[in-house]
Amino acid sequence: MLLNKLTASSAALEISGLTADSREVRPGFLFGSLNDDRYIGDALAKGAVAVIANTNCAYEFPPQIEVIRCANPAKEFAAAAARFFGAQPAHMAAVTGTNGKTSIVDFVRQILTMMNLKAASCGTIGIIKGNEPPIPSPNTTLVSVALQRHLKELAEDGYDWLALEASSHGLAQYRLGSVPVQAAGFTNLTRDHLDYHKTMENYLQAKLILFRENLVAGGSAVLNADIAEFDAIAEVCRETGKKIIAYGRHGRELKLLKLTPLAHGQHIELEYYGHQTGFDIPLAGEFQAMNVLCALGLAAELTGRPQEVIKYADKIHGAKGRLELVGKKANGAAVYVDYAHTPDALANVLKALRPHTAGKLRVLFGCGGDRDAGKRPIMGQIANDLADVIYVTDDNPRTESPAPIRAQIMAACPRGIEIADRRQAVAQAIAELENGDVLVLAGKGHETGQYVNGKILPYSDHEEALKNL
């Protein structure tokens, strides 16, 4: 494939590929020097013929190399990737926020597929086409070259409808650059990724890139009206010519009126685009009801067919590893798996399961290494306050020593039972389940590996639960 006219002076330059990883450069490639100019020499030695670099890049380029200097190399590189691959699905929606992204894009894909539209979703679980099994992906938001390659493949396969997760990292690093969306959702903003963003304001501003730059003029911003940041996000959307769709208890277009817990999930009553309606969903917790509302809003705005969208609300099922009921013991005790790995998510899961718990509410969790350490005691305190029995174990310690991570959790969780080995912890937690109890294995969700000392070891909460049940 060729990428012509990188700049006015390079109309005749042909590009055979592009990458931001110098190790992947091949002859004829465009190299994106996005973070560290030390790798430019390596890229040129491997045959790069053009480089996108920062305006103040001091590298002395040979005269035959085309150099595109700009203030935001990552954004320009994403634009080059979009031009290189060319095709994208015609109708795209994206959702950002600390929690709920995976469930929402999955729900949107389900709704669109039930509407007989050729739809896909892309995010933490991977790429899912229609009702096919997921194709795993390494990041919530793929790097720009991989993302644009997949967008082209989806479009060429006839998948004209796509729902994407937009992580704060992906937005801040412009991996989603040159991906126009017609509808964008915002779920919530709670503590996470401060090891990267440093402050909550930086974290919010990263997420707002989706609404400032990716959401097209006249597009729809589907916003959680119940969060403190609603007015600020809505103002940004108005300033940039976007339509506001508000959901939640304080919503306008999708106003949540009442939730009723059921044995198999819950009943939702809402005012939907001016009409009162109600339906059951096989999902526990108000946060899942909010996820459904956001998905309904995104699907309605993306298709322009809100009254058709609502017909499929009661047919939505849970995403893999998102408050997923794995099974029950012979005595009736239930075991759930959930991806909750932030304070807010853990609190939401425990609050969601409490109405469904006749006996003791039990939780097993840990905290990841090489990530925001400040949330560890916060999560310990939440578990101590909201659960009856707590098992503190390891969760992707990565390159950190796991014992100090558990100690930081235990310091705020005096009732916690510390079991280092996660397999052993799951086995003990399930063995101790009594009639009417509910156990949630939190933190890993759909994951099939445990990051330890820089290696990924095979591990699945889902498989361990089934083995012990």
Side-chain angles (χ1 to χ4, degrees):
M1 297 178 65
L2 306 177
L3 175 64
N4 295 318
K5 300 182 180 178
L6 275 172
T7 66
S9 64
S10 62
L13 183 63
E14 295 185 347
I15 300 295
S16 59
L18 70 169
T19 182
D21 186 336
S22 63
R23 296 167 297 184
E24 298 176 354
V25 172
R26 301 290 181 269
F29 267 41
L30 163 68
F31 176 62
S33 181
L34 310 185
N35 301 309
D36 194 334
D37 294 335
R38 290 180 300 173
Y39 300 104
I40 291 175
D42 184 40
L44 297 182
K46 290 181 177 178
V49 295
V51 176
I52 292 177
N54 198 284
T55 305
N56 58 11
C57 174
Y59 189 88
E60 294 186 11
F61 291 92
Q64 73 273 19
I65 300 300
E66 179 69 36
V67 184
I68 301 94
R69 297 178 184 273
C70 52
N72 191 333
K75 184 176 181 179
E76 181 63 30
F77 183 72
R83 293 198 298 273
F84 183 84
F85 290 102
Q88 296 179 343
H91 312 282
M92 293 190 282
V95 60
T96 194
T98 307
N99 303 311
K101 298 185 295 296
T102 299
S103 291
I104 291 167
V105 300
D106 197 76
F107 297 162
V108 172
R109 175 189 54 76
Q110 290 179 42
I111 294 167
L112 297 177
T113 301
M114 287 186 282
M115 293 173 69
N116 293 316
L117 300 173
K118 205 165 180 183
S121 58
C122 180
T124 306
I125 293 175
I127 296 171
I128 304 178
K129 300 177 180 180
N131 293 317
E132 295 179 12
I135 303 166
S137 63
N139 307 102
T140 296
T141 304
L142 293 165
V143 296
S144 53
V145 171
L147 177 59
Q148 293 293 344
R149 181 186 299 114
H150 283 299
L151 293 181
K152 177 183 175 65
E153 291 171 354
L154 287 168
E156 290 181 342
D157 287 347
Y159 288 90
D160 283 335
W161 303 81
L162 177 66
L164 293 150
E165 287 187 59
S167 70
S168 58
H169 288 75
L171 289 164
Q173 296 167 10
Y174 279 88
R175 298 181 208 162
L176 276 164
S178 295
V179 178
V181 300
Q182 292 78 46
F186 197 110
T187 62
N188 47 51
L189 190 78
T190 61
R191 183 177 180 133
D192 200 14
H193 303 307
L194 294 193
D195 52 312
Y196 180 84
H197 296 290
K198 307 305 180 187
T199 69
M200 290 297 290
E201 179 59 25
N202 291 344
Y203 186 31
L204 173 60
Q205 290 304 318
K207 292 187 175 299
L208 288 178
I209 292 171
L210 177 63
F211 300 89
R212 286 195 173 103
E213 303 192 29
N214 294 92
L215 184 58
V216 300
S220 299
V222 181
L223 310 178
N224 184 345
D226 297 345
I227 60 174
E229 298 80 11
F230 172 77
D231 289 337
I233 300 167
E235 184 59 29
V236 166
C237 294
R238 291 190 192 96
E239 289 172 355
T240 52
K242 317 297 164 57
K243 177 182 175 184
I244 309 296
I245 302 296
Y247 72 93
R249 294 188 181 276
H250 297 92
R252 185 177 60 247
E253 289 75 15
L254 295 97
K255 184 177 180 64
L256 180 59
L257 301 175
K258 185 180 180 182
L259 291 177
T260 306
L262 305 171
H264 61 277
Q266 57 190 319
H267 179 75
I268 297 177
E269 291 181 28
L270 76 155
E271 190 175 303
Y272 177 80
Y273 288 90
H275 301 281
Q276 192 162 334
T277 186
F279 52 87
D280 294 353
I281 57 171
L283 308 163
E286 181 168 332
F287 73 98
Q288 282 284 42
M290 292 289 282
N291 290 340
V292 168
L293 262 59
C294 184
L296 290 172
L298 288 170
E301 293 301 312
L302 192 61
T303 63
R305 291 142 62 179
Q307 298 314 315
E308 183 178 354
V309 164
I310 194 65
K311 294 177 183 177
Y312 301 102
D314 62 350
K315 296 177 178 61
I316 292 172
H317 58 81
K320 181 73 174 176
R322 269 58 183 177
L323 208 54
E324 180 184 3
L325 177 61
V326 177
K328 295 185 176 182
K329 286 185 71 172
N331 63 11
V335 179
Y336 288 82
V337 167
D338 191 80
Y339 192 52
H341 60 281
T342 67
D344 183 65
L346 184 63
N348 282 336
V349 164
L350 293 174
K351 290 175 182 176
L353 290 175
R354 178 59 77 180
H356 303 267
T357 307
K360 293 179 180 177
L361 178 56
R362 301 168 184 260
V363 62
L364 180 150
F365 78 105
C367 289
D370 302 332
R371 298 293 187 270
D372 178 16
K375 70 181 183 182
R376 296 168 187 172
I378 299 173
M379 292 178 69
Q381 182 69 58
I382 288 169
N384 202 71
D385 290 347
L386 298 180
D388 301 313
V389 182
I390 308 109
Y391 305 90
V392 176
T393 188
D394 292 341
D395 180 343
N396 294 335
R398 297 183 176 87
T399 63
E400 277 193 64
S401 173
I405 298 176
R406 296 194 305 273
Q408 288 175 291
I409 299 170
M410 291 293 294
C413 188
R415 294 192 295 108
I417 301 166
E418 184 176 356
I419 306 171
D421 182 87
R422 195 171 180 104
R423 282 190 173 87
Q424 181 185 336
V426 171
Q428 181 172 326
I430 292 177
E432 294 177 354
L433 282 172
E434 300 172 351
N435 181 35
D437 288 357
V438 169
L439 168 67
V440 58
L441 310 177
K444 295 189 64 60
H446 66 285
E447 292 180 356
T448 55
Q450 179 87 311
Y451 291 71
V452 182
N453 289 327
K455 297 180 180 178
I456 303 177
L457 307 177
Y459 177 85
S460 163
D461 271 351
H462 193 276
E463 290 179 6
E464 291 302 312
L466 288 175
K467 186 189 304 180
N468 286 280
L469 285 171

